[in-house]
Amino acid sequence: MTQARQIAERLLDAQVDFLLAEVTGDRFAEVIARDVAAVLAVGDTIVFGDVVSLEQGEETVATVFDRIGGSPVIADTVGIFSDAIYDHIAANTEYTLGDVVDREPVEALLEKIFGMHQAQERILDRLTESPLVATVASRFVDKLIGDFMQANRERAEKIPGVSSLMSLGQSAATRAKKVADSTFVGDLAGKGALFALKRTNNAIRDMLRDAPVHSAAMEFWDLHADEPVAGLREYLTQKDLNELVQICYEIAVTTREKEYFGLLVRECVEVFYTKYSDHTLSSMLPELGLSAEDVSAEILRYGPAVIESAKRNGVLAGLIRERLEPFFFSEQVLGILGE
């Protein structure tokens, strides 16, 4: 039995050396190509719906959103990424916005947005239900009218005698407004604001449908398309971008925790499962835009460096030996070697 154990030891050493050679140099690429092809061949015999249930898929996706979506890594890097992007934008004058984003999809997007009449109608109708919005709109109109009147008054005051009349009219209007704000007339003014808002909404509807809003928006795009990407920094500071990203991340994280979001995720998983449950595992790769060569290339991109590092400190050899040793020193193998 001692001799059998010595033979087992030698076989174990040979097996470890063989496996280490399999992941060394050019041989590693051959092994990866062989094994990926073998795995995909097996995958062609396995139907997705036979090995993954709908419930398992829902649990996996939920875990991804729950664990990774709220992980400290993402939380810590959100702000760092926004600062890095801003720094790059601020320094980059080699590319224009038109180089980065094609005009055609932008035009299609704007055309779709301006053509969404149902959404526009609903938004405008909901706005009329808010007295506060009506008040804001009324003040906005008052501001426009006030600025217009001020401009005309400045012109009129240049005419002798008109200045006194303008002052008298302004004083009377001010007193009337104070009375209106505290009486029944004030209530009428509030209702008038709502009526004005509805009329304004009608004007907005007509403008969106009949006016060349789409063309005007594209002119705005074309104005910026030929400018360097760095020009985007003129719209907001680095602090603004960082805070906006942090706020959006907070919205995403808090929304992720809501029960309704879980319902949406389950619905998406169910749709995916219904569509692909009868596909084999390997046939799903092309659906994801991947090929066997892509899988091999990604493994070879990172694998050699990791394996070489593990080989240098002896960790890899130790792991292989640890996995194989129970087999070579098992009673069954030692019994065969001792015969």
Side-chain angles (χ1 to χ4, degrees):
M1 185 61 72
T2 300
Q3 183 179 5
R5 189 173 184 85
Q6 291 174 348
I7 296 174
E9 186 72 45
R10 291 169 57 191
L11 288 173
L12 176 58
D13 292 339
Q15 182 72 65
V16 171
D17 292 340
F18 175 80
L19 292 177
L20 288 175
E22 290 279 270
V23 293
T24 300
D26 295 338
R27 178 60 181 157
F28 184 52
E30 298 174 6
V31 170
I32 291 300
R34 178 200 68 193
D35 290 349
V36 168
V39 170
L40 293 180
V42 173
D44 268 334
T45 67
I46 301 175
V47 177
F48 175 65
D50 292 341
V51 295
V52 179
S53 68
L54 176 59
E55 292 74 18
Q56 289 173 326
E58 291 175 347
E59 291 175 2
T60 298
V61 174
T63 299
V64 170
F65 278 105
D66 183 49
R67 299 291 189 268
I68 300 178
S71 67
V73 172
I74 296 181
D76 293 340
T77 54
V78 164
I80 298 174
F81 285 159
S82 69
D83 290 340
I85 291 173
Y86 190 92
D87 290 338
H88 181 67
I89 291 176
N92 193 313
T93 58
E94 298 178 4
Y95 298 94
T96 65
L97 189 59
D99 293 332
V100 179
V101 182
D102 291 337
R103 189 180 193 276
E104 290 74 14
V106 173
E107 186 173 14
L109 175 63
L110 291 175
E111 185 175 359
K112 180 61 180 178
I113 292 175
F114 292 128
M116 296 171 61
H117 300 311
Q118 179 177 343
Q120 296 163 10
E121 293 284 345
R122 183 56 177 165
I123 291 172
L124 293 174
D125 288 342
R126 294 294 291 181
L127 285 176
T128 60
E129 299 174 9
S130 171
L132 182 59
V133 173
T135 301
V136 172
S138 177
R139 290 181 180 177
F140 177 71
V141 173
D142 287 345
K143 176 64 176 173
L144 291 178
I145 295 175
D147 290 345
F148 176 76
M149 293 295 295
Q150 177 65 26
N152 284 305
R153 184 175 65 179
E154 292 174 356
R155 295 190 185 95
E157 286 177 345
K158 296 178 181 179
I159 303 174
V162 176
S163 177
S164 299
L165 293 175
M166 292 290 293
S167 298
L168 180 62
Q170 181 66 31
S171 176
T174 300
R175 288 195 300 270
K177 185 178 186 306
K178 289 181 179 179
V179 173
D181 288 340
S182 58
T183 62
F184 174 71
V185 179
D187 294 335
L188 291 179
K191 295 178 180 178
L194 286 173
F195 175 75
L197 180 58
K198 292 180 179 180
R199 294 295 300 270
T200 303
N201 287 347
N202 291 332
I204 294 174
R205 289 187 180 96
D206 294 339
M207 180 188 69
L208 291 175
R209 296 194 177 193
D210 300 330
V213 180
H214 178 264
S215 298
M218 289 311 302
E219 284 187 6
F220 179 79
W221 166 261
D222 291 334
L223 180 66
H224 291 78
D226 294 330
E227 295 182 357
V229 176
L232 295 175
R233 72 186 187 277
E234 297 178 5
Y235 286 91
L236 73 171
T237 66
Q238 186 173 37
K239 183 174 182 292
D240 291 333
L241 178 61
N242 187 289
E243 291 178 350
L244 283 172
V245 171
Q246 294 286 2
I247 291 171
C248 291
Y249 173 73
E250 184 65 22
I251 292 174
V253 170
T254 54
T255 302
R256 172 185 59 90
E257 298 171 352
K258 299 297 188 296
E259 181 179 356
Y260 183 71
F261 181 78
L263 296 176
L264 293 178
V265 170
R266 286 194 290 273
E267 181 65 24
C268 292
V269 173
E270 184 174 348
V271 170
F272 180 88
Y273 190 86
T274 301
K275 181 175 177 60
Y276 292 105
S277 61
D278 59 345
H279 286 54
T280 64
L281 297 181
S282 296
S283 67
M284 292 178 64
L285 279 181
E287 299 288 337
L288 298 173
L290 297 173
S291 65
E293 291 74 17
D294 295 326
V295 176
S296 297
E298 292 305 314
I299 295 175
L300 292 173
R301 190 189 306 277
Y302 306 104
V306 174
I307 289 175
E308 287 301 319
S309 177
K311 284 172 61 179
R312 280 196 301 270
N313 56 25
V315 171
L316 183 58
L319 289 174
I320 294 174
R321 179 177 293 275
E322 182 181 325
R323 299 299 186 276
L324 296 177
E325 190 175 64
F327 168 75
F328 284 99
F329 291 160
S330 65
E331 293 183 5
Q332 184 179 10
V333 172
L334 291 177
I336 294 173
L337 296 176
E339 292 180 354

